[in-house]
Structures are given as structure tokens and as C-alpha cells.
Amino acid sequence: MNFDIIAPAALCAAMLSACATPISDAEAERAAVGMLKASFKPQGQAGVDRLNQDEVQALCSRYPNGLPKDLAEKLEKTQLATIRYPASGKLMGDWREGERIAQSGVGKQFNDDPKGPSGGNCYACHRLSPRELSFGTIGPSLYQFGKQRGTGDAVQRYAYGKIYNSEAFSACSNMPRFGHNGILTEEQIAHLVALLLDPDSPVNK
Ligand code: HEC
């Protein structure tokens, strides 16, 4: 950490008990964000603008213990309206492609090709196919998702919409908004829907 860049207010926050007048929450937040931004360097496509929170993130940060019900419902409604379903109406692609996308953590980093396709990195947070032994547990297990939920239109729309914009179904979710933020294309999302729902997918074996 570079101590030259720490504002006096931040030092005050760090040594609150030693300060004659404690700083306000807003000042402490400004100092903390300033410190955070100063400790990152932009490189290639990974700019420090990524540290700027959008409306959803800013609102969720204001309520770290969860949004009040009315605000959560409002947020989900506005996020639901952002979901773009494919013009073809085809929400299920090829599960084999979906498995490759779920496995891949490539994309959006400074050393990735900004034009190349990104992966979904789903296994970082979810169990999907039991063939993959290494997976994260931040999200629930999605093993047998289609077997349990079925493959009808409503389930397809939900799975597609959830991957497109997770916030539409649970406010302040930790899951990235893959379609909304341009990480995955409509076609890639449809392949992931197939991975989750197709009876032939290893997720449903
Ligand atoms: C950073 C962690 C993270 C990543 C990466 C992630 N998810 Fe999630 N996901 C979550 C969390 C947490 C939840 C539960 C909270 C919620 O519903 O938003 C969730 C929920 C879901 C659900 C809803 C489950 C249900 O019971 O209805 C689906 C479907 C899903 N994720 C699919 C995916 C797919 C497909 C990918 C890859 C493109 C992915 N997730 C990547 C964290 C993640």
C-alpha cells in the first residue's frame, strides 16, 4: 500500500480513537473508495472504471444486510425489464457448447483478447455436472436442475433470464449479470440453458 495517497480523513478513520472529532460515514466511505481506486492500475480492457458501482450495486451496498422488501421488489422489476430474449424465440442451444462455456473462466481480464468470446465460469460458484470434481459453493448446486424443474417454456425463460440478469429474480444476488453486462452473448446463454435443462446433459444424468 502506498501511504502517500492516504487522505488525512482516511488516517483519521484508521485511528478513530485517537482523533478529536470522528469523521462522518460519508467521509470515511470517500476515503476508503479513494484508497481502493489508488491501489489498482488500469491495464488493457481492465480499467479502473470497473470500480464504479452502477445503480444496483450502489443500492445493494447501502443495505449490506439485505434490501427492505419494497426496494427489493422494485429492483427486481426494473432488472426484469432489461432482459432481452432472442428474437428467434429459441432459448435452448447445445448442452455440449454450454458445458465448455460453464467450464471456461476466460474473458474480460487485462490479458484476454477483448474481442474474443468470454466464458461463464459457472463452476467457480456452482456444482453442475458430477463429472467435474472441482467447483465452488457460493451458489447452490445446479446438478439435476432440469430433472427437478422440468423443461417447459416457463423454466426455459427463467433459466435464460436468470443467466441474463440474476438481479431480476433475487435482488443483490452475488451472481454476475452475464447478458446485461455483455459478458455472454444470447447464443452462449441458450447453450447454458441447454446444459441446465436438456435431458441428455450430464447435469441431468
Ligand atoms: C460468483 C458466483 C456465481 C457465478 C460465477 C455464477 N453464479 Fe449462478 N448463482 C450464484 C448465487 C449466489 C446464486 C443464488 C442466489 C441467486 O439466486 O441469485 C445463483 C443462482 C443461480 C441459478 C438459480 C438457481 C435456482 O435454484 O433457481 C441459476 C440457474 C444459476 N445460478 C446459473 C448459473 C450459470 C449458468 C452460471 C454461469 C454462466 C452461473 N450461475 C455463474 C452465484 C454465481
Side-chain angles (χ1 to χ4, degrees), residues 120-122 124-126 138-140 142 145 149 158-159 162-163 166 170 173-176 178 184 192 196:
N121 213 10
C122 315
C125 295
H126 294 286
I138 293 173
L142 301 173
F145 190 83
R149 312 272 179 112
Y158 167 64
K162 180 74 194 175
I163 301 167
S166 57
S170 54
S173 168
N174 286 328
M175 176 164 151
F178 292 99
L184 297 176
L192 288 162
L196 291 174

Side-chain angles (χ1 to χ4, degrees), residues 23-40:
I23 60 169
S24 69
D25 284 356
E27 282 172 309
E29 187 182 323
R30 261 198 304 279
V33 170
M35 207 187 294
L36 183 73
K37 285 190 173 169
S39 65
F40 280 97

Side-chain angles (χ1 to χ4, degrees), residues 22-194:
I23 60 169
S24 69
D25 284 356
E27 282 172 309
E29 187 182 323
R30 261 198 304 279
V33 170
M35 207 187 294
L36 183 73
K37 285 190 173 169
S39 65
F40 280 97
K41 288 190 179 41
Q43 216 174 339
Q45 63 176 326
V48 281
D49 55 332
R50 290 188 183 175
L51 296 171
N52 298 334
Q53 300 189 74
D54 71 7
E55 269 177 18
V56 169
Q57 292 164 327
L59 185 66
C60 293
S61 296
R62 234 178 290 145
Y63 295 91
N65 298 320
L67 287 187
K69 199 162 171 274
D70 57 328
L71 285 183
E73 280 170 5
K74 212 168 127 196
L75 186 149
E76 286 166 10
K77 212 170 139 206
T78 56
Q79 295 302 298
L80 196 61
T82 71
I83 298 173
R84 298 279 163 267
Y85 289 92
S88 66
K90 201 171 166 280
L91 303 185
M92 287 244 277
D94 178 347
W95 68 260
R96 289 170 198 83
E97 291 291 331
E99 174 69 330
R100 274 192 279 279
I101 298 162
Q103 293 271 359
S104 167
V106 165
K108 304 290 177 199
Q109 293 167 79
F110 76 91
N111 53 353
D112 289 325
D113 178 0
K115 290 191 219 82
S118 300
N121 213 10
C122 315
Y123 281 96
C125 295
H126 294 286
R127 177 176 191 230
L128 289 117
S129 161
R131 286 183 208 158
E132 174 54 68
L133 300 179
S134 164
F135 54 85
T137 53
I138 293 173
S141 170
L142 301 173
Y143 178 51
Q144 304 217 314
F145 190 83
K147 214 171 183 176
Q148 288 167 6
R149 312 272 179 112
T151 55
D153 287 353
V155 181
Q156 287 186 28
R157 273 183 84 78
Y158 167 64
Y160 187 97
K162 180 74 194 175
I163 301 167
Y164 192 101
N165 188 341
S166 57
E167 301 282 345
F169 303 93
S170 54
C172 303
S173 168
N174 286 328
M175 176 164 151
R177 290 167 281 169
F178 292 99
H180 183 67
N181 286 336
I183 303 166
L184 297 176
T185 64
E186 289 181 355
E187 199 187 4
Q188 286 180 305
I189 297 176
H191 291 322
L192 288 162
V193 173

